[in-house]
Amino acid sequence: MCGDATNWDENAYRESILKEREIQTLTVFRTAWAPSPNPSPDAVVVASSDGSIASYSISSCISKLPLGFSNAKAQQVEPTAFLQGHDGPAYDVKFYGEADDALLLSCGDDGRILGWRWREFTQLEAPVSLKGIHIRPVFDLMNPQHKGPWGALSPIPENNAIAVDTQGGCIFSAVGDSCAYCWDVETSKIKTVFKGHLDYLHCIVARNSTNQIITGSEDGTVRIWDCKSGKCIRVIDSEKDKKFKGSSFVSCVALDASESWLAFSNGQNLSVWNLPASECVTRASFRASIQDVIFDDNQILTVGAQPLLNRFDINGAILSQIPCAPQSSFSVSIHSSGVIAVGGYGGLVDVISQFGSHYCTFRCKCV
């Protein structure tokens, strides 16, 4: 028996299929906790593969969504604030400054670093359908293009990650042209170019106590740079360690609060260094690639190509493994209260308590 196709709308059906596919393949590349005077987390900001920057209310998500772990049934929620910031994926978000005076920074595949006033971003009333055109950035920093042998300009290289030094008035970027850049916030100009990597940069972190930055690259090295001179003062080469297996590129780097301990991953491998002693204290290999790493006091949290949040001690011993909604996670961030946000494939964000229980799981809005 055949159905009635009299009112069949081929275009509407095609659009619904494409929209569903877009929702399912949306990827969260970075989560960041918004500044707040409250001890509990108020909002998490998300950078996604569709170029959007969105803020989600944690209290609203917890009150509307079921408690506990969820994956396929995770509900899509409306953001409290939204920007269509970048042409192409948005890879990173950071806050520059504190409380209401903070700037929200983002970077992406279009080679731009954009900055908005956080207060203006959260207080303006505008529908999501406006896609962020209701607010203009405070600054718009564009990566330089390079001239070829016949004068032709190269494509604008992407920004893969950013770091900040609020005391020095600087933003640092890890860029696809194998360089790191130091931008002056006041003048919106490049102060320093850090050259030395042989392939594009994946990650960057600022070691402000020593006026240094640390970068990780596709060339398999971690480099420590002096910000004053722009020179590389140390190279950590993971490719020289034959014990390591799999990919050699450095995907993520992290410093602890004292800026004395460095953790980084290359593929399935995790390394932990005592920087004052210039000594590697941990080298460990795991089943899946590690895609983000952070410190939680004297412990280390990682996420990657497994639906797990891993917690290690400083010696690399696994303390716990908590199931996560994203099948592949690209970001883990921790609030000062201990609450953790994990974001990744499918536009999914998991909010996990300091005790390891799941507060809620939500799917980001795809606009």
Side-chain angles (χ1 to χ4, degrees):
M1 183 176 181
C2 297
D4 184 5
T6 305
N7 297 318
W8 174 255
D9 189 334
E10 179 72 24
N11 290 331
Y13 175 72
R14 184 184 297 110
E15 287 180 8
S16 67
I17 293 296
L18 292 175
K19 188 65 176 178
E20 182 63 26
R21 185 182 300 170
E22 187 179 3
I23 292 171
Q24 293 298 326
T25 58
L26 181 71
T27 300
V28 172
F29 285 118
R30 187 66 62 201
T31 58
W33 293 103
S36 169
N38 300 324
S40 299
D42 285 342
V44 64
V45 179
V46 171
S48 301
S49 57
D50 61 356
S52 65
I53 312 297
S55 174
Y56 294 88
S57 167
I58 297 302
S59 59
S60 176
C61 289
I62 292 175
S63 64
K64 294 179 181 178
L65 300 175
L67 290 174
F69 174 68
S70 176
N71 188 341
K73 296 180 180 179
Q75 298 178 30
Q76 191 177 76
V77 298
E78 291 288 335
T80 54
F82 175 86
L83 287 166
Q84 186 62 46
H86 296 271
D87 295 325
Y91 290 132
D92 202 0
V93 284
K94 290 288 189 298
F95 283 93
Y96 181 92
E98 300 292 336
D100 287 342
D101 295 328
L103 294 177
L104 172 63
L105 309 178
S106 69
C107 72
D109 197 60
D110 56 5
R112 283 184 154 88
I113 301 173
L114 302 174
W116 295 274
R117 291 185 178 88
W118 174 242
R119 180 186 300 173
E120 185 178 355
F121 176 56
T122 56
Q123 291 183 352
L124 274 180
E125 295 290 337
V128 171
S129 59
L130 286 179
K131 296 190 177 183
I133 60 174
H134 60 291
I135 178 173
R136 294 189 177 275
V138 177
F139 56 76
D140 182 348
L141 311 179
M142 175 71 78
N143 283 334
Q145 294 174 275
H146 304 285
K147 279 191 176 182
W150 293 281
L153 290 175
S154 68
I156 299 170
E158 75 275 15
N159 287 308
N160 292 311
I162 49 178
V164 301
D165 175 10
T166 53
Q167 288 189 339
C170 300
I171 301 170
F172 303 99
S173 57
V175 182
D177 61 0
S178 308
C179 297
Y181 292 90
C182 173
W183 293 86
D184 186 286
V185 173
E186 187 174 344
T187 64
S188 297
K189 295 181 183 288
I190 294 173
K191 289 174 62 176
T192 312
V193 180
F194 303 89
K195 294 183 179 181
H197 280 292
L198 303 178
D199 211 332
Y200 66 88
L201 276 61
H202 284 282
C203 47
I204 190 168
V205 65
R207 193 183 182 201
N208 295 330
S209 61
T210 56
N211 198 26
Q212 297 172 347
I213 60 168
I214 303 174
T215 55
S217 169
E218 186 78 11
D219 64 14
T221 66
V222 171
R223 292 177 181 253
I224 303 176
W225 308 81
D226 176 63
C227 291
K228 187 174 182 180
S229 66
K231 293 182 177 180
C232 178
I233 58 177
R234 183 175 180 84
V235 179
I236 302 173
D237 192 349
S238 60
E239 285 193 329
K240 291 182 178 179
D241 195 330
K242 302 302 182 186
K243 296 179 183 178
F244 277 179
K245 60 185 179 181
S247 174
S248 64
F249 75 88
V250 178
S251 57
C252 50
V253 293
L255 286 169
D256 76 326
S258 70
E259 299 188 341
S260 298
W261 294 91
L262 168 71
F264 67 89
S265 77
N266 52 297
Q268 299 163 252
N269 311 301
L270 177 70
S271 298
V272 182
W273 281 70
N274 182 328
L275 292 177
S278 297
E279 178 185 9
C280 181
V281 299
T282 300
R283 286 188 178 96
S285 296
F286 304 97
R287 292 180 58 188
S289 295
I290 299 169
Q291 293 169 167
D292 198 17
V293 59
I294 59 170
F295 279 89
D296 181 10
D297 293 330
N298 61 346
Q299 296 177 355
I300 300 166
L301 305 178
T302 68
V303 294
Q306 271 185 322
L308 293 171
L309 169 64
N310 303 296
R311 184 180 290 270
F312 305 93
D313 66 16
I314 206 73
N315 296 312
I318 296 178
L319 301 177
S320 66
Q321 292 184 309
I322 301 170
C324 293
Q327 292 301 298
S328 183
S329 299
F330 293 92
S331 175
V332 55
S333 56
I334 187 165
H335 188 264
S336 57
S337 65
V339 178
I340 298 165
V342 175
Y345 187 74
L348 294 170
V349 176
D350 242 348
V351 181
I352 302 170
S353 77
Q354 60 268 49
F355 306 110
S357 58
H358 289 259
Y359 278 141
C360 64
T361 301
F362 66 89
R363 196 180 297 274
C364 295
K365 182 78 172 180
C366 185
V367 181

